[in-house]
């Protein structure tokens, strides 16, 4: 059985559980049980604090784990990056009181910076030849300047609303982060096989993101023109209709260009356009 370490609460927990659900791996999100088995896949989920996940995978307590890139880099654990999962995106940034006239990184010389990520911050300051004092703090880092504990902060930023509510502004982005699937380097071949099965499901879910399955009736006289505007995976499916002058065209469209392409199809005479969301797509 494969064991995966998952954050016990928060946005990363929610996104991970959603991914498992979409991959048809059924797991109880119990808050009282630290280790839960999936009911339809040889997987058990170990719920941990996010900062404990890198070491648990590196040591083999868990075979794989879902962790924020920021935590993985900060801990420096000897685990392999298996996949970038594309969710729980954020950034690690330097922020200062919003009324300060900021001219550049040199402002931080001689200043005190509060953070929960001293390893990443120290490397950034060293690389940029900035001499600042790092004050390590857990919890609400953003209140540090307001209570006189530090001149600036280095912390996770998602929407930026927390900074605004604490009269801070983001001035330097140090690194961008997203959820990573990491793995124990000494995983057995049997567990690697299970992992590959799970990755296959994850990929099918991700391929379907922002994709729409589109069916339409098209006049045969303009079929080639219609096909030319469809950026399908390979080529659209063409099905004859009872009316010999018409056919049914089936294809997949990306959400980013959806309305642009639909407009072109309408101009070329396509009718009865039916749009269906895609749950999974296997290439």
């Amino acid at each position: 059985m494969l064991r995966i370490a998952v954050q016990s609460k928060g946005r990363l927990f929610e996104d991970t559980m959603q991914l498992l659900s979409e991959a048809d791996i059924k797991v109880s999100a119990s808050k009282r049980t630290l280790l839960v088995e999936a009911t339809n896949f040889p997987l058990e989920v170990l719920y941990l604090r996010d900062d404990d996940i890198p070491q648990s995978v590196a040591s083999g307590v868990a075979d794989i784990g879902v962790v924020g890139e920021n935590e993985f880099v900060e801990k420096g654990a000897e685990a392999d990056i298996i996949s970038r999962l594309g969710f729980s995106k954020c950034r690690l940034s330097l922020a200062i009181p919003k009324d300060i006239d900021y001219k550049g990184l040199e402002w931080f010389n001689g200043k005190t910076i509060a953070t929960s990520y001293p390893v990443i911050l120290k490397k950034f300051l060293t690389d940029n030849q900035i001499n600042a004092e790092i004050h390590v703090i857990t919890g609400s880092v953003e209140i540090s300047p307001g209570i006189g504990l530090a001149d600036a902060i280095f912390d996770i930023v998602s929407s930026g609303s927390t900074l605004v509510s604490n009269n801070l502004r983001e001035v330097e982005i140090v690194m961008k982060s997203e959820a990573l699937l990491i793995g124990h380097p000494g995983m057995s071949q049997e567990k690697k096989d299970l992992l590959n099965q799970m990755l296959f499901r994850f990929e099918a879910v991700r391929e379907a993101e922002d994709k729409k399955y589109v069916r339409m009736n098209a006049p045969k006289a303009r079929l080639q023109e219609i096909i030319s505007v469809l950026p399908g995976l390979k080529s659209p499916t063409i099905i004859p209709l009872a009316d010999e002058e018409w056919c049914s065209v089936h294809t997949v469209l990306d959400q980013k260009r959806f309305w642009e392409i639909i407009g072109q199809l309408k101009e070329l005479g396509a009718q009865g356009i039916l749009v269906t969301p895609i749950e999974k797509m296997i290439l």
Side-chain angles (χ1 to χ4, degrees):
M1 183 173 288
L2 194 66
R3 179 180 290 177
I4 181 172
V6 172
Q7 184 174 316
S8 58
K9 59 182 179 180
R11 191 182 68 165
L12 188 55
F13 161 79
E14 294 169 358
D15 289 343
T16 303
M17 299 310 292
Q18 181 179 344
L19 177 60
L20 290 173
S21 176
E22 290 174 346
D24 295 326
I25 299 175
K26 298 178 181 179
V27 180
S28 170
S30 172
K31 297 294 185 181
R32 297 183 178 180
T33 307
L34 294 179
L35 191 63
V36 179
E37 287 188 20
T39 58
N40 62 343
F41 191 85
L43 178 77
E44 54 184 5
V45 178
L46 177 63
Y47 295 111
L48 296 174
R49 284 169 46 95
D50 57 347
D51 53 357
D52 290 332
I53 292 176
Q55 187 55 41
S56 73
V57 175
S59 64
V61 172
D63 303 303
I64 56 177
V66 177
V67 66
E69 187 172 1
N70 52 303
E71 287 292 347
F72 181 68
V73 174
E74 178 68 22
K75 299 302 179 184
E78 295 183 1
D80 298 328
I81 297 177
I82 297 171
S83 177
R84 293 181 173 273
L85 298 176
F87 55 74
S88 295
K89 291 185 177 181
C90 62
R91 54 195 182 274
L92 280 174
S93 297
L94 286 161
I96 64 175
K98 66 179 184 180
D99 57 352
I100 289 178
D101 183 22
Y102 181 76
K103 300 296 187 181
L105 273 176
E106 295 76 15
W107 181 88
F108 290 97
N109 277 312
K111 301 295 194 298
T112 300
I113 307 172
T115 186
S116 299
Y117 300 94
V119 173
I120 297 173
L121 177 58
K122 183 177 180 180
K123 183 179 186 304
F124 177 78
L125 295 175
T126 301
D127 290 347
N128 288 277
Q129 299 180 330
I130 301 297
N131 182 23
E133 180 182 346
I134 298 175
H135 185 84
V136 180
I137 188 172
T138 57
S140 301
V141 175
E142 64 275 0
I143 69 171
S144 300
I147 62 176
L149 190 62
D151 301 298
I153 69 166
F154 176 63
D155 201 18
I156 290 176
V157 178
S158 294
S159 66
S161 59
T162 301
L163 295 181
V164 172
S165 63
N166 285 275
N167 295 314
L168 299 172
R169 65 186 176 102
E170 184 179 13
V171 292
E172 300 286 345
I173 298 175
V174 174
M175 73 170 284
K176 294 184 178 180
S177 174
E178 65 179 293
L180 302 177
L181 181 66
I182 60 174
H184 178 58
M187 210 183 313
S188 68
Q189 187 57 51
E190 290 80 6
K191 291 187 175 182
K192 288 181 180 178
D193 291 340
L194 291 174
L195 172 60
N196 287 334
Q197 291 179 39
M198 190 170 71
L199 289 174
F200 175 76
R201 296 191 185 195
F202 287 175
E203 187 62 25
V205 171
R206 285 194 290 177
E207 285 293 339
E209 290 178 355
D210 299 323
K211 299 289 195 307
K212 303 293 183 183
Y213 187 72
V214 180
R215 290 168 281 183
M216 73 200 80
N217 293 333
K220 284 186 177 179
R222 309 200 70 176
L223 182 58
Q224 291 306 314
E225 292 177 86
I226 288 173
I227 290 175
S228 69
V229 303
L230 296 176
L233 298 177
K234 289 185 178 178
S235 63
T237 300
I238 311 297
I239 301 174
L241 297 176
D243 186 336
E244 294 183 356
E245 294 184 358
W246 288 77
C247 60
S248 178
V249 179
H250 297 210
T251 191
V252 174
L253 296 182
D254 194 295
Q255 182 67 43
K256 293 177 182 177
R257 294 191 58 206
F258 176 78
W259 290 110
E260 171 194 345
I261 294 171
I262 290 296
Q264 294 178 35
L265 294 173
K266 289 279 289 179
E267 290 177 3
L268 291 170
Q271 298 179 3
I273 301 173
L274 180 63
V275 182
T276 308
I278 300 175
E279 185 177 305
K280 298 173 185 68
M281 189 162 66
I282 299 168
L283 300 178

